[in-house]
Amino acid sequence: MKAHAILLPAGLFAIALSVANTPGRPAWKKQVLTRDFLTEGLAAGDLDGDKVKDLVAGAFWFKGPEFKEAKAYREGKAMPIGAYMEDSFLSWVEDLNGDGKNDILMASHPGKDMTLYLNPGKEGEWTAHRVMTEAAHESPLWLDLDGDKKNEMVCMQGGKFGYAEVDWSDVTKPWSFIAISEKRTGTPYLHGLGAGDLSGDGKMDIVEKDGWFEQPAEKGGAWTWHPEEFAGPGGAQMLVFDVDQDGDNDMVTSLNGHGYGLFWYENHRSDGKVAFTPHEILPEDQRKTGANGLQFSQLHAMDAGDFDKDGRMDFTTGKRFWAHMGNDPGERDPALAVIFYNRKDGDGVRWEAEVIDNDSGVGCQVLAVDLDGDGRLEFAAGSKKGVHVIRR
């Protein structure tokens, strides 16, 4: 089938405007690739082999570094914000079949298909391969879980947590799901998922809103469940990194992807045991404010990165605008894009929030990514506000 062309009003590409100006730093500038609703998730990677990162938004990819040109690689079109983008919730760019060309991996509506689009190296429609018929969860993760330098897809099937393995001899074959838990839920829409080494054994663990699964010493062994009251309803990507630079990994999470609250959990390891101390960044009570007097809802996507290049890991997030068509708390508030800078504060941590835009926000995925190769991170997201890149 022929891919639909994207119809955009003239002048919507590459709109640049100053959105924030912190003394001593260059102003943030927003580039609006399109105001059309194309996707809830955005991916970055070189798709045309010119060594420059491009951006994937639903059925289209935008050619970097200027992102003025949108190319269709499959059938698809913009949707009204009163609907869901059923075929594009999250996406990733990687060369899966090893032919030297980056492919596109795309998750549809939670609990439905995961599709691999193989890059033909030329313009036109890419061949689609349905590699999973069920990839449940609001925030699946594509990462190297077992340390073999090849990625797995962390998600759920049949209400069980686990991961899908690729048959690397033929990546288009259906992927095999390996459960690490008993059935824990009857819904595919669970919120809050992350991965990182919490136990200190050098192996990736899996964290979800109600606790974490410790990876066994040997592959095929049983994952150990550690209950922990992290995130109530659950939020978005749960970020695992050493927040306070004390040598062990902590965790940052929004509490409710469709409400309020943002916390980080300090890891205390002793005698082989892990315990967590919660620290508020933004309160769960919408009437109160947190870092820099800030409060906003719908923190449905998060990504970590050192935005100010001070050697401490920061993170970015924002509001997911119109996620449930106007039925969430604070839905009509500005669609903020925010960076939280990690500051040393005595023996602890202080978070400094900077609003870099008030009319973009996030979808189910946000990127902290160096798009232009200058060594500085940009904010990039696709949502019901369109597709945006925000940079200094």
Side-chain angles (χ1 to χ4, degrees):
M1 291 181 288
K2 185 178 179 181
H4 292 291
I6 179 170
L7 301 177
L8 299 172
L12 277 191
F13 283 151
I15 297 175
L17 45 137
S18 178
V19 295
N21 192 0
T22 302
R25 299 179 190 158
W28 289 94
K29 296 182 184 295
K30 178 170 69 174
Q31 179 181 2
V32 181
L33 281 61
T34 175
R35 295 197 188 279
D36 280 347
F37 174 35
L38 300 181
T39 185
E40 289 283 10
L42 198 67
D46 176 14
L47 294 174
D48 55 3
D50 64 355
K51 311 298 184 186
V52 176
K53 288 188 178 73
D54 309 300
L55 287 172
V56 177
F60 305 89
W61 64 273
F62 291 79
K63 181 174 173 54
E66 295 183 345
F67 308 114
K68 293 180 180 180
E69 184 180 5
K71 299 174 181 288
Y73 68 93
R74 64 169 172 85
E75 184 178 6
K77 60 183 179 179
M79 294 290 290
I81 66 169
Y84 293 112
M85 185 57 70
E86 294 284 346
D87 60 1
S88 182
F89 268 67
L90 298 99
S91 53
W92 301 267
V93 171
E94 185 177 318
D95 178 10
L96 270 79
N97 62 358
D99 66 353
K101 300 185 295 291
N102 280 326
D103 309 304
I104 296 171
L105 184 60
M106 188 160 290
S108 61
H109 194 275
K112 296 185 179 179
D113 298 353
M114 184 75 65
T115 304
L116 171 62
Y117 297 91
L118 290 180
N119 187 343
K122 59 183 179 181
E123 292 193 19
E125 190 159 351
W126 297 20
T127 303
H129 301 272
R130 187 171 67 171
V131 293
M132 296 179 68
T133 57
E134 181 188 2
H137 203 281
E138 294 271 338
S139 306
L141 303 169
W142 175 243
L143 47 75
D144 180 7
L145 188 65
D146 56 12
D148 66 353
K149 304 191 184 308
K150 294 182 178 179
N151 284 359
E152 289 78 34
M153 183 61 68
V154 180
C155 57
M156 299 189 309
Q157 281 192 3
K160 300 177 181 180
F161 281 90
Y163 57 95
E165 288 190 321
V166 183
D167 181 346
W168 293 101
S169 67
D170 184 355
V171 297
T172 66
K173 289 182 177 179
W175 296 359
S176 301
F177 183 79
I178 299 171
I180 65 167
S181 78
E182 299 298 320
K183 183 173 181 178
R184 294 180 50 78
T185 180
T187 176
Y189 305 116
L190 218 61
H191 289 65
L193 189 64
D197 180 13
L198 293 173
S199 64
D201 63 357
K203 293 181 175 293
M204 282 266 195
D205 306 306
I206 295 174
V207 59
E208 58 110 330
K209 68 184 186 68
D210 294 318
W212 59 286
F213 300 94
E214 184 176 353
Q215 185 167 171
E218 300 295 332
K219 189 169 184 176
W223 290 61
T224 303
W225 169 244
H226 301 275
E228 194 80 35
E229 295 181 6
F230 283 132
Q237 290 80 14
M238 302 173 77
L239 306 178
V240 178
F241 60 90
D242 188 358
V243 171
D244 50 10
Q245 297 190 326
D246 66 350
D248 55 30
N249 280 327
D250 311 293
M251 194 271 292
V252 181
T253 185
S254 56
L255 300 189
N256 185 344
H258 299 284
Y260 293 85
L262 176 66
F263 272 63
W264 77 277
Y265 289 82
E266 184 179 359
N267 186 342
H268 300 283
R269 283 204 310 259
S270 61
D271 299 326
K273 296 182 179 179
V274 177
F276 292 93
T277 300
H279 299 277
E280 179 184 281
I281 305 173
L282 297 179
E284 194 170 12
D285 186 340
Q286 67 185 81
R287 300 166 297 179
K288 299 178 180 180
T289 61
N292 297 88
L294 187 64
Q295 179 64 298
F296 65 102
S297 65
Q298 259 84 213
L299 289 73
H300 206 293
M302 301 175 67
D303 199 13
D306 184 1
F307 277 89
D308 55 4
K309 301 178 70 175
D310 67 349
R312 299 177 69 88
M313 190 64 73
D314 315 306
F315 69 92
T316 188
T317 184
K319 173 190 286 294
R320 184 183 173 195
F321 171 75
W322 225 243
H324 290 153
M325 295 69 169
N327 295 309
D328 292 318
E331 188 70 274
R332 289 168 173 80
D333 294 343
L336 302 183
V338 185
I339 295 172
F340 288 86
Y341 297 99
N342 180 348
R343 306 299 189 206
K344 182 175 174 57
D345 186 14
D347 293 332
V349 169
R350 173 177 59 85
W351 294 99
E352 177 185 318
E354 183 180 16
V355 176
I356 62 171
D357 187 65
N358 62 8
D359 189 30
S360 54
V362 300
C364 295
Q365 203 173 24
V366 63
L367 302 180
V369 59
D370 180 5
L371 291 171
D372 52 16
D374 68 352
R376 294 185 298 187
L377 295 177
E378 284 81 46
F379 171 106
S383 70
K384 289 182 176 177
K385 282 285 186 178
V387 180
H388 307 87
V389 173
I390 307 172
R391 68 183 90 210
R392 288 200 185 277

mmCIF file with all atom_site columns, all heavy atoms in Angstrom, residues 125-137:
data_model
loop_
_atom_site.group_PDB
_atom_site.id
_atom_site.type_symbol
_atom_site.label_atom_id
_atom_site.label_alt_id
_atom_site.label_comp_id
_atom_site.label_asym_id
_atom_site.label_entity_id
_atom_site.label_seq_id
_atom_site.pdbx_PDB_ins_code
_atom_site.Cartn_x
_atom_site.Cartn_y
_atom_site.Cartn_z
_atom_site.occupancy
_atom_site.B_iso_or_equiv
_atom_site.pdbx_formal_charge
_atom_site.auth_seq_id
_atom_site.auth_comp_id
_atom_site.auth_asym_id
_atom_site.auth_atom_id
_atom_site.pdbx_PDB_model_num
ATOM 1   N N   . GLU A 1 125 ? 8.165  2.468   0.754  1.00 0.00 ? 125 GLU A N   1
ATOM 2   C CA  . GLU A 1 125 ? 7.608  1.745   1.896  1.00 0.00 ? 125 GLU A CA  1
ATOM 3   C C   . GLU A 1 125 ? 8.572  0.679   2.389  1.00 0.00 ? 125 GLU A C   1
ATOM 4   O O   . GLU A 1 125 ? 9.141  -0.075  1.604  1.00 0.00 ? 125 GLU A O   1
ATOM 5   C CB  . GLU A 1 125 ? 6.269  1.119   1.513  1.00 0.00 ? 125 GLU A CB  1
ATOM 6   C CG  . GLU A 1 125 ? 5.519  0.561   2.711  1.00 0.00 ? 125 GLU A CG  1
ATOM 7   C CD  . GLU A 1 125 ? 4.027  0.405   2.442  1.00 0.00 ? 125 GLU A CD  1
ATOM 8   O OE1 . GLU A 1 125 ? 3.566  0.894   1.394  1.00 0.00 ? 125 GLU A OE1 1
ATOM 9   O OE2 . GLU A 1 125 ? 3.341  -0.198  3.276  1.00 0.00 ? 125 GLU A OE2 1
ATOM 10  N N   . TRP A 1 126 ? 8.759  0.628   3.703  1.00 0.00 ? 126 TRP A N   1
ATOM 11  C CA  . TRP A 1 126 ? 9.619  -0.365  4.315  1.00 0.00 ? 126 TRP A CA  1
ATOM 12  C C   . TRP A 1 126 ? 8.793  -1.610  4.646  1.00 0.00 ? 126 TRP A C   1
ATOM 13  O O   . TRP A 1 126 ? 7.633  -1.512  5.025  1.00 0.00 ? 126 TRP A O   1
ATOM 14  C CB  . TRP A 1 126 ? 10.236 0.180   5.595  1.00 0.00 ? 126 TRP A CB  1
ATOM 15  C CG  . TRP A 1 126 ? 11.132 1.375   5.436  1.00 0.00 ? 126 TRP A CG  1
ATOM 16  C CD1 . TRP A 1 126 ? 11.174 2.252   4.391  1.00 0.00 ? 126 TRP A CD1 1
ATOM 17  C CD2 . TRP A 1 126 ? 12.099 1.821   6.374  1.00 0.00 ? 126 TRP A CD2 1
ATOM 18  N NE1 . TRP A 1 126 ? 12.115 3.228   4.615  1.00 0.00 ? 126 TRP A NE1 1
ATOM 19  C CE2 . TRP A 1 126 ? 12.705 2.983   5.841  1.00 0.00 ? 126 TRP A CE2 1
ATOM 20  C CE3 . TRP A 1 126 ? 12.520 1.362   7.622  1.00 0.00 ? 126 TRP A CE3 1
ATOM 21  C CZ2 . TRP A 1 126 ? 13.704 3.689   6.509  1.00 0.00 ? 126 TRP A CZ2 1
ATOM 22  C CZ3 . TRP A 1 126 ? 13.514 2.069   8.296  1.00 0.00 ? 126 TRP A CZ3 1
ATOM 23  C CH2 . TRP A 1 126 ? 14.099 3.201   7.733  1.00 0.00 ? 126 TRP A CH2 1
ATOM 24  N N   . THR A 1 127 ? 9.407  -2.763  4.548  1.00 0.00 ? 127 THR A N   1
ATOM 25  C CA  . THR A 1 127 ? 8.716  -4.008  4.870  1.00 0.00 ? 127 THR A CA  1
ATOM 26  C C   . THR A 1 127 ? 8.474  -4.107  6.376  1.00 0.00 ? 127 THR A C   1
ATOM 27  O O   . THR A 1 127 ? 9.391  -3.905  7.176  1.00 0.00 ? 127 THR A O   1
ATOM 28  C CB  . THR A 1 127 ? 9.532  -5.221  4.402  1.00 0.00 ? 127 THR A CB  1
ATOM 29  O OG1 . THR A 1 127 ? 9.773  -5.101  3.007  1.00 0.00 ? 127 THR A OG1 1
ATOM 30  C CG2 . THR A 1 127 ? 8.787  -6.516  4.678  1.00 0.00 ? 127 THR A CG2 1
ATOM 31  N N   . ALA A 1 128 ? 7.248  -4.423  6.751  1.00 0.00 ? 128 ALA A N   1
ATOM 32  C CA  . ALA A 1 128 ? 6.862  -4.539  8.159  1.00 0.00 ? 128 ALA A CA  1
ATOM 33  C C   . ALA A 1 128 ? 6.838  -5.992  8.589  1.00 0.00 ? 128 ALA A C   1
ATOM 34  O O   . ALA A 1 128 ? 6.353  -6.865  7.857  1.00 0.00 ? 128 ALA A O   1
ATOM 35  C CB  . ALA A 1 128 ? 5.493  -3.910  8.375  1.00 0.00 ? 128 ALA A CB  1
ATOM 36  N N   . HIS A 1 129 ? 7.356  -6.258  9.785  1.00 0.00 ? 129 HIS A N   1
ATOM 37  C CA  . HIS A 1 129 ? 7.353  -7.600  10.365 1.00 0.00 ? 129 HIS A CA  1
ATOM 38  C C   . HIS A 1 129 ? 6.795  -7.499  11.785 1.00 0.00 ? 129 HIS A C   1
ATOM 39  O O   . HIS A 1 129 ? 7.387  -6.829  12.637 1.00 0.00 ? 129 HIS A O   1
ATOM 40  C CB  . HIS A 1 129 ? 8.764  -8.184  10.401 1.00 0.00 ? 129 HIS A CB  1
ATOM 41  C CG  . HIS A 1 129 ? 9.411  -8.274  9.051  1.00 0.00 ? 129 HIS A CG  1
ATOM 42  N ND1 . HIS A 1 129 ? 9.267  -9.359  8.216  1.00 0.00 ? 129 HIS A ND1 1
ATOM 43  C CD2 . HIS A 1 129 ? 10.205 -7.388  8.387  1.00 0.00 ? 129 HIS A CD2 1
ATOM 44  C CE1 . HIS A 1 129 ? 9.944  -9.158  7.097  1.00 0.00 ? 129 HIS A CE1 1
ATOM 45  N NE2 . HIS A 1 129 ? 10.516 -7.968  7.176  1.00 0.00 ? 129 HIS A NE2 1
ATOM 46  N N   . ARG A 1 130 ? 5.691  -8.170  12.041 1.00 0.00 ? 130 ARG A N   1
ATOM 47  C CA  . ARG A 1 130 ? 5.116  -8.180  13.382 1.00 0.00 ? 130 ARG A CA  1
ATOM 48  C C   . ARG A 1 130 ? 5.885  -9.202  14.219 1.00 0.00 ? 130 ARG A C   1
ATOM 49  O O   . ARG A 1 130 ? 5.719  -10.411 14.053 1.00 0.00 ? 130 ARG A O   1
ATOM 50  C CB  . ARG A 1 130 ? 3.633  -8.529  13.335 1.00 0.00 ? 130 ARG A CB  1
ATOM 51  C CG  . ARG A 1 130 ? 2.959  -8.387  14.696 1.00 0.00 ? 130 ARG A CG  1
ATOM 52  C CD  . ARG A 1 130 ? 1.463  -8.509  14.598 1.00 0.00 ? 130 ARG A CD  1
ATOM 53  N NE  . ARG A 1 130 ? 1.052  -9.855  14.209 1.00 0.00 ? 130 ARG A NE  1
ATOM 54  C CZ  . ARG A 1 130 ? -0.208 -10.276 14.210 1.00 0.00 ? 130 ARG A CZ  1
ATOM 55  N NH1 . ARG A 1 130 ? -1.188 -9.441  14.555 1.00 0.00 ? 130 ARG A NH1 1
ATOM 56  N NH2 . ARG A 1 130 ? -0.506 -11.506 13.852 1.00 0.00 ? 130 ARG A NH2 1
ATOM 57  N N   . VAL A 1 131 ? 6.726  -8.713  15.124 1.00 0.00 ? 131 VAL A N   1
ATOM 58  C CA  . VAL A 1 131 ? 7.594  -9.603  15.894 1.00 0.00 ? 131 VAL A CA  1
ATOM 59  C C   . VAL A 1 131 ? 7.000  -9.969  17.254 1.00 0.00 ? 131 VAL A C   1
ATOM 60  O O   . VAL A 1 131 ? 7.442  -10.934 17.879 1.00 0.00 ? 131 VAL A O   1
ATOM 61  C CB  . VAL A 1 131 ? 8.996  -8.992  16.063 1.00 0.00 ? 131 VAL A CB  1
ATOM 62  C CG1 . VAL A 1 131 ? 9.710  -8.913  14.716 1.00 0.00 ? 131 VAL A CG1 1
ATOM 63  C CG2 . VAL A 1 131 ? 8.945  -7.619  16.725 1.00 0.00 ? 131 VAL A CG2 1
ATOM 64  N N   . MET A 1 132 ? 6.014  -9.190  17.709 1.00 0.00 ? 132 MET A N   1
ATOM 65  C CA  . MET A 1 132 ? 5.291  -9.529  18.934 1.00 0.00 ? 132 MET A CA  1
ATOM 66  C C   . MET A 1 132 ? 3.827  -9.177  18.720 1.00 0.00 ? 132 MET A C   1
ATOM 67  O O   . MET A 1 132 ? 3.512  -8.130  18.158 1.00 0.00 ? 132 MET A O   1
ATOM 68  C CB  . MET A 1 132 ? 5.838  -8.761  20.144 1.00 0.00 ? 132 MET A CB  1
ATOM 69  C CG  . MET A 1 132 ? 7.267  -9.088  20.513 1.00 0.00 ? 132 MET A CG  1
ATOM 70  S SD  . MET A 1 132 ? 7.848  -8.119  21.953 1.00 0.00 ? 132 MET A SD  1
ATOM 71  C CE  . MET A 1 132 ? 6.845  -8.815  23.263 1.00 0.00 ? 132 MET A CE  1
ATOM 72  N N   . THR A 1 133 ? 2.949  -10.046 19.162 1.00 0.00 ? 133 THR A N   1
ATOM 73  C CA  . THR A 1 133 ? 1.520  -9.754  19.096 1.00 0.00 ? 133 THR A CA  1
ATOM 74  C C   . THR A 1 133 ? 1.015  -9.131  20.383 1.00 0.00 ? 133 THR A C   1
ATOM 75  O O   . THR A 1 133 ? -0.086 -8.568  20.408 1.00 0.00 ? 133 THR A O   1
ATOM 76  C CB  . THR A 1 133 ? 0.713  -11.034 18.821 1.00 0.00 ? 133 THR A CB  1
ATOM 77  O OG1 . THR A 1 133 ? 1.000  -11.999 19.839 1.00 0.00 ? 133 THR A OG1 1
ATOM 78  C CG2 . THR A 1 133 ? 1.063  -11.608 17.454 1.00 0.00 ? 133 THR A CG2 1
ATOM 79  N N   . GLU A 1 134 ? 1.799  -9.215  21.454 1.00 0.00 ? 134 GLU A N   1
ATOM 80  C CA  . GLU A 1 134 ? 1.443  -8.576  22.724 1.00 0.00 ? 134 GLU A CA  1
ATOM 81  C C   . GLU A 1 134 ? 2.703  -8.042  23.381 1.00 0.00 ? 134 GLU A C   1
ATOM 82  O O   . GLU A 1 134 ? 3.580  -8.806  23.786 1.00 0.00 ? 134 GLU A O   1
ATOM 83  C CB  . GLU A 1 134 ? 0.747  -9.558  23.680 1.00 0.00 ? 134 GLU A CB  1
ATOM 84  C CG  . GLU A 1 134 ? 0.347  -8.900  24.991 1.00 0.00 ? 134 GLU A CG  1
ATOM 85  C CD  . GLU A 1 134 ? -0.161 -9.882  26.038 1.00 0.00 ? 134 GLU A CD  1
ATOM 86  O OE1 . GLU A 1 134 ? -0.161 -11.101 25.760 1.00 0.00 ? 134 GLU A OE1 1
ATOM 87  O OE2 . GLU A 1 134 ? -0.537 -9.431  27.131 1.00 0.00 ? 134 GLU A OE2 1
ATOM 88  N N   . ALA A 1 135 ? 2.783  -6.727  23.451 1.00 0.00 ? 135 ALA A N   1
ATOM 89  C CA  . ALA A 1 135 ? 3.877  -6.070  24.184 1.00 0.00 ? 135 ALA A CA  1
ATOM 90  C C   . ALA A 1 135 ? 3.221  -5.115  25.160 1.00 0.00 ? 135 ALA A C   1
ATOM 91  O O   . ALA A 1 135 ? 3.091  -3.920  24.903 1.00 0.00 ? 135 ALA A O   1
ATOM 92  C CB  . ALA A 1 135 ? 4.815  -5.340  23.236 1.00 0.00 ? 135 ALA A CB  1
ATOM 93  N N   . ALA A 1 136 ? 2.740  -5.678  26.279 1.00 0.00 ? 136 ALA A N   1
ATOM 94  C CA  . ALA A 1 136 ? 1.947  -4.907  27.230 1.00 0.00 ? 136 ALA A CA  1
ATOM 95  C C   . ALA A 1 136 ? 2.841  -4.045  28.114 1.00 0.00 ? 136 ALA A C   1
ATOM 96  O O   . ALA A 1 136 ? 4.004  -4.352  28.336 1.00 0.00 ? 136 ALA A O   1
ATOM 97  C CB  . ALA A 1 136 ? 1.092  -5.839  28.075 1.00 0.00 ? 136 ALA A CB  1
ATOM 98  N N   . HIS A 1 137 ? 2.271  -3.001  28.613 1.00 0.00 ? 137 HIS A N   1
ATOM 99  C CA  . HIS A 1 137 ? 2.827  -1.999  29.513 1.00 0.00 ? 137 HIS A CA  1
ATOM 100 C C   . HIS A 1 137 ? 2.846  -0.661  28.794 1.00 0.00 ? 137 HIS A C   1
ATOM 101 O O   . HIS A 1 137 ? 2.950  -0.601  27.571 1.00 0.00 ? 137 HIS A O   1
ATOM 102 C CB  . HIS A 1 137 ? 4.236  -2.330  30.020 1.00 0.00 ? 137 HIS A CB  1
ATOM 103 C CG  . HIS A 1 137 ? 4.554  -1.635  31.321 1.00 0.00 ? 137 HIS A CG  1
ATOM 104 N ND1 . HIS A 1 137 ? 4.924  -0.313  31.395 1.00 0.00 ? 137 HIS A ND1 1
ATOM 105 C CD2 . HIS A 1 137 ? 4.523  -2.075  32.601 1.00 0.00 ? 137 HIS A CD2 1
ATOM 106 C CE1 . HIS A 1 137 ? 5.108  0.025   32.656 1.00 0.00 ? 137 HIS A CE1 1
ATOM 107 N NE2 . HIS A 1 137 ? 4.854  -1.025  33.421 1.00 0.00 ? 137 HIS A NE2 1
#
